[in-house]
DNA sequence: ATGGTTTTTACTGCGTC
DNA sequence: GACGCGGTAAAAACCAT
Protein backbone atom coordinates (compact mmCIF):
# COMPACT_ATOMS: atom_id res chain seq x y z
CA UNK A 1 0.00 0.00 0.00
CA UNK A 2 1.22 3.49 -0.57
CA UNK A 3 2.31 6.02 1.95
CA UNK A 4 -0.45 8.43 1.25
CA UNK A 5 -1.03 11.36 3.45
CA UNK A 6 -4.53 11.58 4.72
CA UNK A 7 -4.26 13.50 7.92
CA UNK A 8 -4.46 17.22 8.07
CA UNK A 9 -1.25 17.51 10.00
CA UNK A 10 1.66 19.39 8.63
CA UNK A 11 4.41 17.19 10.01
CA UNK A 12 3.99 13.82 8.48
CA UNK A 13 6.85 11.50 9.14
CA UNK A 14 8.16 9.99 5.98
CA UNK A 15 9.43 6.48 5.97
CA UNK A 16 13.06 7.12 6.81
CA UNK A 17 12.30 9.57 9.54
CA UNK A 18 9.79 7.20 10.98
CA UNK A 19 12.27 4.42 11.51
CA UNK A 20 14.48 6.77 13.36
CA UNK A 21 11.81 7.98 15.66
CA UNK A 22 10.78 4.44 16.43
CA UNK A 23 14.35 3.68 17.43
CA UNK A 24 14.55 6.71 19.65
CA UNK A 25 11.48 5.60 21.48
CA UNK A 26 13.14 2.31 22.27
CA UNK A 27 16.15 3.91 23.80
CA UNK A 28 13.90 6.17 25.76
CA UNK A 29 13.15 3.80 28.63
CA UNK A 30 9.58 3.67 27.56
CA UNK A 31 6.92 3.25 30.19
CA UNK A 32 8.99 2.37 33.19
CA UNK A 33 6.26 2.79 35.79
CA UNK A 34 6.23 1.63 39.29
CA UNK A 35 3.19 0.35 41.02
CA UNK A 36 1.95 2.98 43.47
CA UNK A 37 0.94 0.23 45.88
CA UNK A 38 4.05 -1.84 46.09
CA UNK A 39 6.65 -0.35 43.78
CA UNK A 40 6.87 -3.38 41.57
CA UNK A 41 7.66 -2.80 37.93
CA UNK A 42 6.05 -5.98 36.68
CA UNK A 43 2.67 -5.65 35.14
CA UNK A 44 0.19 -7.72 33.33
CA UNK A 45 -2.21 -6.41 30.81
CA UNK A 46 -5.76 -7.51 30.65
CA UNK A 47 -6.67 -5.92 27.41
CA UNK A 48 -10.12 -7.44 27.48
CA UNK A 49 -10.96 -5.05 30.22
CA UNK A 50 -8.49 -2.39 29.21
CA UNK A 51 -6.73 -2.64 32.50
CA UNK A 52 -3.18 -3.08 33.59
CA UNK A 53 -2.59 -5.04 36.73
CA UNK A 54 0.37 -5.05 39.01
CA UNK A 55 1.86 -8.51 39.11
CA UNK A 56 2.82 -8.15 42.73
CA UNK A 57 -0.30 -6.90 44.38
CA UNK A 58 -3.02 -7.03 41.75
CA UNK A 59 -3.54 -3.31 41.94
CA UNK A 60 -5.14 -1.92 38.83
CA UNK A 61 -2.62 0.61 37.68
CA UNK A 62 -4.28 1.88 34.60
CA UNK A 63 -7.64 1.39 33.05
CA UNK A 64 -9.65 2.44 30.06
CA UNK A 65 -6.73 1.91 27.78
CA UNK A 66 -8.72 0.24 25.09
CA UNK A 67 -8.27 1.82 21.70
CA UNK A 68 -6.23 4.66 23.00
CA UNK A 69 -3.77 4.84 20.25
CA UNK A 70 -2.94 2.40 17.57
CA UNK A 71 -4.90 -0.48 16.29
CA UNK A 72 -1.81 -2.65 16.23
CA UNK A 73 0.43 -3.90 18.92
CA UNK A 74 4.15 -4.15 18.58
CA UNK A 75 5.49 -7.27 20.19
CA UNK A 76 9.04 -6.27 19.59
CA UNK A 77 10.83 -3.37 18.11
CA UNK A 78 11.32 -4.84 14.67
CA UNK A 79 7.62 -5.34 14.40
CA UNK A 80 7.14 -1.80 15.50
CA UNK A 81 9.19 -0.65 12.56
CA UNK A 82 7.19 -2.70 10.17
CA UNK A 83 3.85 -1.67 11.47
CA UNK A 84 4.49 1.99 12.03
CA UNK A 85 3.31 3.95 9.09
CA UNK A 86 1.95 7.19 7.87
CA UNK A 87 -1.31 7.48 6.08
CA UNK A 88 -4.75 6.24 6.82
CA UNK A 89 -5.02 3.17 8.92
CA UNK A 90 -5.70 -0.06 7.16
CA UNK A 91 -7.81 -2.65 8.79
CA UNK A 92 -7.53 -6.35 8.30
CA UNK A 93 -11.07 -6.89 9.35
CA UNK A 94 -12.33 -6.08 5.91
CA UNK A 95 -11.46 -8.38 3.08
CA UNK A 96 -9.89 -5.60 1.06
CA UNK A 97 -8.49 -3.92 4.16
CA UNK A 98 -10.94 -1.12 3.76
CA UNK A 99 -8.99 0.51 1.00
CA UNK A 100 -10.66 -0.96 -2.04
CA UNK A 101 -12.33 0.95 -4.78
CA UNK A 102 -15.73 -0.10 -5.89
CA UNK A 103 -16.31 0.06 -9.55
CA UNK A 104 -19.59 1.47 -10.50
CA UNK A 105 -22.11 2.06 -7.80
CA UNK A 106 -25.71 2.20 -8.80
CA UNK A 107 -25.77 5.96 -8.85
CA UNK A 108 -23.06 6.14 -11.46
CA UNK A 109 -24.61 3.46 -13.56
CA UNK A 110 -28.03 4.93 -13.58
CA UNK A 111 -26.73 8.25 -14.65
CA UNK A 112 -25.01 7.13 -17.78
CA UNK A 113 -26.41 5.32 -20.69
CA UNK A 114 -25.61 3.49 -23.87
CA UNK A 115 -22.09 2.37 -24.59
CA UNK A 116 -20.74 3.82 -21.42
CA UNK A 117 -23.28 1.92 -19.39
CA UNK A 118 -22.38 -1.36 -21.03
CA UNK A 119 -18.79 -0.67 -20.25
CA UNK A 120 -19.53 -0.15 -16.61
CA UNK A 121 -21.28 -3.48 -16.37
CA UNK A 122 -18.36 -5.26 -17.96
CA UNK A 123 -15.88 -3.60 -15.65
CA UNK A 124 -17.90 -4.47 -12.64
CA UNK A 125 -18.17 -8.11 -13.65
CA UNK A 126 -14.48 -8.36 -14.27
CA UNK A 127 -13.67 -6.78 -10.98
CA UNK A 128 -15.89 -9.23 -9.14
CA UNK A 129 -14.39 -12.26 -10.81
CA UNK A 130 -10.79 -11.43 -10.19
CA UNK A 131 -10.55 -9.96 -6.77
CA UNK A 132 -13.89 -10.53 -5.16
CA UNK A 133 -14.09 -14.29 -5.33
CA UNK A 134 -11.03 -14.60 -3.15
CA UNK A 135 -12.09 -11.76 -1.00
CA UNK A 136 -15.53 -13.13 -0.54
CA UNK A 137 -14.14 -16.38 0.81
CA UNK A 138 -11.95 -14.41 3.14
CA UNK A 139 -14.99 -12.50 4.28
CA UNK A 140 -16.58 -15.81 5.26
CA UNK A 141 -13.80 -16.15 7.80
CA UNK A 142 -13.72 -12.55 8.92
CA UNK A 143 -17.36 -12.39 9.89
CA UNK A 144 -17.20 -15.26 12.37
CA UNK A 145 -13.95 -13.88 13.75
CA UNK A 146 -15.58 -10.58 14.53
CA UNK A 147 -18.62 -12.24 16.00
CA UNK A 148 -16.63 -14.50 18.30
CA UNK A 149 -14.35 -11.71 19.42
CA UNK A 150 -17.27 -9.54 20.33
CA UNK A 151 -19.20 -12.29 22.08
CA UNK A 152 -16.23 -13.11 24.25
CA UNK A 153 -15.46 -9.48 25.04
CA UNK A 154 -12.04 -9.69 23.53
CA UNK A 155 -10.18 -6.55 22.52
CA UNK A 156 -10.31 -5.44 18.94
CA UNK A 157 -6.62 -6.11 18.60
CA UNK A 158 -7.52 -9.79 18.61
CA UNK A 159 -9.90 -9.28 15.77
CA UNK A 160 -7.28 -7.37 13.82
CA UNK A 161 -4.57 -9.94 14.26
CA UNK A 162 -6.85 -12.89 13.62
CA UNK A 163 -8.04 -11.22 10.46
CA UNK A 164 -4.51 -10.64 9.31
CA UNK A 165 -3.72 -14.27 9.90
CA UNK A 166 -6.87 -15.28 8.07
CA UNK A 167 -5.50 -13.64 4.97
CA UNK A 168 -2.28 -15.53 5.36
CA UNK A 169 -4.22 -18.71 5.99
CA UNK A 170 -6.22 -18.25 2.84
CA UNK A 171 -3.06 -17.81 0.82
CA UNK A 172 -1.73 -21.06 2.20
CA UNK A 173 -4.96 -22.98 1.66
CA UNK A 174 -5.39 -23.61 5.34
CA UNK A 175 -9.15 -23.25 5.11
CA UNK A 176 -9.41 -26.06 2.64
CA UNK A 177 -9.81 -29.37 4.31
CA UNK A 178 -10.65 -28.09 7.73
CA UNK A 179 -13.37 -25.63 6.89
CA UNK A 180 -13.58 -21.89 7.03
CA UNK A 181 -15.60 -21.44 10.19
CA UNK A 182 -13.58 -23.82 12.33
CA UNK A 183 -10.39 -22.18 11.13
CA UNK A 184 -11.78 -18.77 11.93
CA UNK A 185 -12.63 -19.88 15.45
CA UNK A 186 -9.20 -21.46 15.77
CA UNK A 187 -7.54 -18.21 14.78
CA UNK A 188 -9.36 -16.35 17.51
CA UNK A 189 -8.25 -18.96 20.00
CA UNK A 190 -4.66 -18.68 18.86
CA UNK A 191 -4.52 -14.91 18.84
CA UNK A 192 -6.31 -14.54 22.17
CA UNK A 193 -3.70 -16.77 23.71
CA UNK A 194 -0.86 -14.94 22.01
CA UNK A 195 -2.12 -11.63 23.32
CA UNK A 196 -2.40 -12.92 26.87
CA UNK A 197 -6.15 -12.77 27.02
CA UNK A 198 -6.81 -16.44 26.53
CA UNK A 199 -10.21 -17.97 26.27
CA UNK A 200 -10.64 -21.66 26.83
CA UNK A 201 -11.51 -24.06 24.07
CA UNK A 202 -14.83 -24.52 25.82
CA UNK A 203 -15.65 -20.86 25.65
CA UNK A 204 -14.78 -20.53 22.01
CA UNK A 205 -16.52 -23.77 21.16
CA UNK A 206 -19.64 -22.49 22.81
CA UNK A 207 -19.95 -19.22 20.96
CA UNK A 208 -18.67 -20.48 17.64
CA UNK A 209 -20.74 -23.62 17.50
CA UNK A 210 -17.66 -25.64 16.65
CA UNK A 211 -17.24 -28.84 18.60
CA UNK A 212 -14.45 -28.63 21.09
CA UNK A 213 -12.68 -31.61 19.64
CA UNK A 214 -12.77 -30.19 16.15
CA UNK A 215 -11.63 -26.82 17.40
CA UNK A 216 -8.69 -28.38 19.20
CA UNK A 217 -7.59 -30.26 16.11
CA UNK A 218 -8.09 -27.24 13.91
CA UNK A 219 -6.15 -24.83 16.02
CA UNK A 220 -3.17 -27.17 16.26
CA UNK A 221 -3.17 -27.65 12.51
CA UNK A 222 -3.63 -23.99 11.80
CA UNK A 223 -0.86 -22.95 14.12
CA UNK A 224 1.46 -25.49 12.58
CA UNK A 225 0.69 -24.48 9.02
CA UNK A 226 1.13 -20.82 9.78
CA UNK A 227 4.30 -21.51 11.70
CA UNK A 228 2.94 -20.11 14.93
CA UNK A 229 4.44 -21.51 18.03
CA UNK A 230 1.97 -22.02 20.83
CA UNK A 231 3.41 -21.82 24.26
CA UNK A 232 1.14 -23.54 26.74
CA UNK A 233 -1.42 -21.25 28.29
CA UNK A 234 -0.32 -20.06 31.70
CA UNK A 235 -2.74 -20.11 34.62
CA UNK A 236 -1.77 -16.55 35.54
CA UNK A 237 -3.30 -15.33 32.33
CA UNK A 238 -6.70 -16.56 33.38
CA UNK A 239 -6.42 -15.29 36.90
CA UNK A 240 -7.36 -11.61 36.58
CA UNK A 241 -10.52 -12.35 34.68
CA UNK A 242 -11.82 -14.88 37.18
CA UNK A 243 -10.64 -12.91 40.17
CA UNK A 244 -12.50 -9.93 38.87
CA UNK A 245 -15.65 -11.88 38.19
CA UNK A 246 -15.60 -13.33 41.67
CA UNK A 247 -14.87 -10.07 43.39
CA UNK A 248 -11.63 -11.29 44.84
CA UNK A 249 -9.55 -8.58 46.47
CA UNK A 250 -6.37 -7.34 44.86
CA UNK A 251 -4.16 -8.73 47.57
CA UNK A 252 -5.83 -12.13 47.41
CA UNK A 253 -5.36 -12.09 43.68
CA UNK A 254 -1.70 -11.31 44.10
CA UNK A 255 -1.40 -14.16 46.57
CA UNK A 256 -3.09 -16.47 44.14
CA UNK A 257 -0.54 -15.49 41.57
CA UNK A 258 2.33 -16.25 43.90
CA UNK A 259 0.76 -19.55 44.81
CA UNK A 260 0.51 -20.48 41.18
CA UNK A 261 4.13 -19.57 40.56
CA UNK A 262 5.32 -21.51 43.53
CA UNK A 263 3.23 -24.48 42.56
CA UNK A 264 4.69 -24.38 39.11
CA UNK A 265 8.18 -24.40 40.53
CA UNK A 266 7.23 -27.49 42.43
CA UNK A 267 6.07 -29.15 39.28
CA UNK A 268 2.36 -29.19 39.97
CA UNK A 269 1.53 -27.80 36.60
CA UNK A 270 2.36 -30.60 34.25
CA UNK A 271 -0.61 -32.09 32.55
CA UNK A 272 -3.10 -30.02 34.43
CA UNK A 273 -5.55 -27.67 32.88
CA UNK A 274 -4.59 -24.07 33.69
CA UNK A 275 -8.05 -23.46 35.07
CA UNK A 276 -7.52 -26.19 37.61
CA UNK A 277 -4.54 -24.45 39.10
CA UNK A 278 -6.31 -21.13 39.11
CA UNK A 279 -9.22 -22.69 40.93
CA UNK A 280 -7.08 -24.21 43.65
CA UNK A 281 -4.93 -21.13 44.04
CA UNK A 282 -7.90 -18.79 44.24
CA UNK A 283 -9.55 -20.95 46.85
CA UNK A 284 -6.41 -21.02 48.96
CA UNK A 285 -5.66 -17.33 48.48
CA UNK A 286 -9.19 -16.41 49.49
CA UNK A 287 -8.83 -18.43 52.66
CA UNK A 288 -5.50 -16.84 53.48
CA UNK A 289 -7.05 -13.43 53.11
CA UNK A 290 -10.11 -14.28 55.16
CA UNK A 291 -12.33 -13.83 52.19
CA UNK A 292 -14.92 -16.52 52.33
CA UNK A 293 -15.75 -18.08 49.05
CA UNK A 294 -17.43 -21.43 48.87
CA UNK A 295 -16.01 -24.09 46.66
CA UNK A 296 -19.22 -23.98 44.75
CA UNK A 297 -18.94 -20.28 43.93
CA UNK A 298 -15.43 -20.63 42.64
CA UNK A 299 -16.23 -23.84 40.82
CA UNK A 300 -19.13 -22.29 38.99
CA UNK A 301 -17.28 -19.16 38.00
CA UNK A 302 -14.19 -20.91 36.76
CA UNK A 303 -15.99 -23.85 35.27
CA UNK A 304 -14.55 -26.78 37.16
CA UNK A 305 -16.12 -29.06 39.72
CA UNK A 306 -15.77 -28.83 43.45
CA UNK A 307 -13.82 -32.04 43.45
CA UNK A 308 -11.28 -30.48 41.16
CA UNK A 309 -10.96 -27.53 43.51
CA UNK A 310 -10.37 -29.80 46.45
CA UNK A 311 -7.71 -31.75 44.64
CA UNK A 312 -6.02 -28.68 43.28
CA UNK A 313 -6.20 -26.99 46.65
CA UNK A 314 -4.42 -29.97 48.18
CA UNK A 315 -1.76 -29.76 45.48
CA UNK A 316 -1.26 -26.09 46.27
CA UNK A 317 -0.92 -26.79 49.97
CA UNK A 318 1.61 -29.49 49.24
CA UNK A 319 3.56 -27.23 46.93
CA UNK A 320 3.74 -24.53 49.56
CA UNK A 321 4.51 -26.96 52.33
CA UNK A 322 1.62 -25.54 54.24
CA UNK A 323 -0.29 -27.33 56.85
CA UNK A 324 -3.97 -27.03 56.43
CA UNK A 325 -4.33 -26.51 60.16
CA UNK A 326 -2.18 -23.42 60.07
CA UNK A 327 -4.64 -21.69 57.82
CA UNK A 328 -7.57 -19.65 59.12
C1' DA B 1 -7.39 -47.00 18.17
C1' DT B 2 -4.94 -47.05 22.60
C1' DG B 3 -3.36 -46.25 26.97
C1' DG B 4 -2.06 -43.19 30.58
C1' DT B 5 -3.59 -39.18 32.94
C1' DT B 6 -6.83 -35.72 34.48
C1' DT B 7 -11.48 -34.29 35.42
C1' DT B 8 -16.23 -35.23 36.32
C1' DT B 9 -20.00 -37.72 38.20
C1' DA B 10 -22.21 -39.71 41.92
C1' DC B 11 -22.35 -40.87 46.45
C1' DT B 12 -20.72 -40.84 51.14
C1' DG B 13 -20.32 -39.12 56.15
C1' DC B 14 -19.37 -35.31 59.21
C1' DG B 15 -19.95 -30.82 61.37
C1' DT B 16 -22.44 -26.39 61.69
C1' DC B 17 -25.86 -22.85 61.44
C1' DG C 1 -32.59 -30.24 57.46
C1' DA C 2 -29.92 -27.56 54.33
C1' DC C 3 -25.39 -26.37 53.48
C1' DG C 4 -20.44 -26.54 53.14
C1' DC C 5 -16.66 -29.49 53.07
C1' DG C 6 -13.86 -33.60 52.42
C1' DG C 7 -13.06 -38.10 50.60
C1' DT C 8 -13.59 -42.13 47.25
C1' DA C 9 -14.56 -45.04 43.19
C1' DA C 10 -15.86 -45.43 38.74
C1' DA C 11 -16.98 -43.16 34.35
C1' DA C 12 -15.80 -39.85 31.02
C1' DA C 13 -12.86 -36.75 28.71
C1' DC C 14 -8.42 -35.54 27.19
C1' DC C 15 -4.17 -36.04 24.67
C1' DA C 16 0.08 -37.92 22.70
C1' DT C 17 1.33 -41.65 20.06
Amino acid sequence: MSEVETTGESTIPVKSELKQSAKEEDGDEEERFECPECGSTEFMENSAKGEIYCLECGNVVDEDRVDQSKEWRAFDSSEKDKKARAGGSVTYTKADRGIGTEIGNSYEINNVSGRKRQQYYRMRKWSRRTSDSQERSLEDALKPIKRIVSQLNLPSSVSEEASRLAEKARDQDVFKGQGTRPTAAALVYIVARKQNVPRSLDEIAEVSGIKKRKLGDTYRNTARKLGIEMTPAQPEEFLPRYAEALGLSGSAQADARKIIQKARDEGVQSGRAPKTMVAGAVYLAAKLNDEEFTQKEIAEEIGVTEVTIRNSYQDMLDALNLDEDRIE
Side-chain angles (χ1 to χ4, degrees):
Chain A
M1 79 218 62
S2 54
E3 309 271 331
V4 189
E5 190 257 290
T6 58
T7 68
E9 301 197 18
S10 50
T11 53
I12 299 104
V14 261
K15 220 174 186 177
S16 54
E17 231 175 299
L18 207 98
K19 271 195 181 145
Q20 231 181 350
S21 69
K23 282 227 176 83
E24 274 166 23
E25 241 176 76
D26 284 339
D28 256 348
E29 305 233 2
E30 54 178 298
E31 308 207 24
R32 183 57 47 91
F33 315 142
E34 286 184 6
C35 171
E37 291 290 314
C38 66
S40 160
T41 54
E42 305 262 358
F43 298 98
M44 154 113 175
E45 185 176 356
N46 177 351
S47 22
K49 297 195 57 86
E51 292 174 345
I52 298 207
Y53 291 87
C54 172
L55 273 182
E56 281 298 312
C57 64
N59 184 41
V60 176
V61 178
D62 196 2
E63 41 194 343
D64 294 330
R65 295 190 114 239
V66 174
D67 278 347
Q68 270 197 353
S69 52
K70 313 164 181 84
E71 86 291 355
W72 47 267
R73 290 169 45 121
F75 294 100
D76 56 51
S77 54
S78 72
E79 228 176 316
K80 215 168 178 180
D81 281 311
K82 281 184 218 148
K83 287 181 178 176
R85 57 184 149 53
S89 64
V90 288
T91 178
Y92 285 97
T93 62
K94 293 212 172 99
D96 63 0
R97 304 186 189 181
I99 58 172
T101 313
E102 276 200 11
I103 295 180
N105 60 33
S106 55
Y107 173 80
E108 286 175 71
I109 287 179
N110 290 328
N111 278 282
V112 295
S113 54
R115 256 167 59 89
K116 199 82 176 170
R117 185 165 176 156
Q118 291 302 312
Q119 207 178 355
Y120 266 126
Y121 278 128
R122 279 200 308 279
M123 283 168 73
R124 195 145 80 147
K125 209 171 179 184
W126 178 82
S127 168
R128 285 253 174 79
R129 284 211 189 122
T130 52
S131 51
D132 288 10
S133 71
Q134 265 206 322
E135 285 183 0
R136 214 176 311 120
S137 70
L138 183 58
E139 200 67 54
D140 289 339
L142 299 190
K143 273 188 272 182
I145 286 174
K146 275 180 266 190
R147 208 195 69 242
I148 295 165
V149 164
S150 103
Q151 282 189 56
L152 291 176
N153 281 314
L154 284 161
S156 58
S157 59
V158 172
S159 182
E160 279 291 331
E161 179 67 3
S163 301
R164 193 182 67 78
L165 290 174
E167 193 173 335
K168 202 172 160 192
R170 176 200 58 192
D171 295 341
Q172 295 179 25
D173 286 346
V174 178
F175 293 113
K176 287 178 185 161
Q178 54 184 19
T180 300
R181 283 162 37 78
T183 309
L187 285 171
V188 175
Y189 178 77
I190 290 169
V191 174
R193 255 174 70 171
K194 279 275 165 209
Q195 298 195 5
N196 290 336
V197 284
R199 294 296 181 267
S200 66
L201 283 176
D202 280 315
E203 290 171 295
I204 293 191
E206 176 158 359
V207 302
S208 68
I210 310 294
K211 286 267 181 119
K212 188 179 181 181
R213 175 67 198 272
K214 169 78 179 166
L215 185 57
D217 292 346
T218 308
Y219 104 75
R220 269 182 280 274
N221 267 324
T222 306
R224 188 172 43 76
K225 286 190 185 162
L226 294 179
I228 297 169
E229 199 181 321
M230 299 296 287
T231 50
Q234 295 302 305
E236 290 96 317
E237 295 167 2
F238 289 89
L239 178 61
R241 188 157 54 98
Y242 292 129
E244 174 81 15
L246 282 162
L248 196 70
S249 74
S251 62
Q253 188 183 330
D255 286 348
R257 187 179 297 278
K258 285 179 200 153
I259 292 165
I260 290 167
Q261 282 161 356
K262 177 72 178 165
R264 193 198 348 270
D265 292 345
E266 300 292 321
V268 178
Q269 177 154 34
S270 69
R272 259 124 228 203
K275 275 179 171 191
T276 300
M277 288 185 66
V278 175
V282 164
Y283 185 62
L284 173 56
K287 266 198 172 172
L288 291 172
N289 283 268
D290 289 320
E291 293 169 35
E292 292 303 324
F293 288 97
T294 65
Q295 295 177 352
K296 196 177 175 188
E297 286 172 304
I298 295 173
E300 277 176 3
E301 189 55 51
I302 298 186
V304 296
T305 60
E306 287 143 280
V307 180
T308 301
I309 291 192
R310 295 199 277 271
N311 291 335
S312 176
Y313 169 65
Q314 269 308 324
D315 291 341
M316 299 294 148
L317 287 176
D318 294 347
L320 298 184
N321 284 321
L322 270 182
D323 253 324
E324 168 137 37
D325 316 336
R326 304 232 318 272
I327 298 177
E328 310 163 88

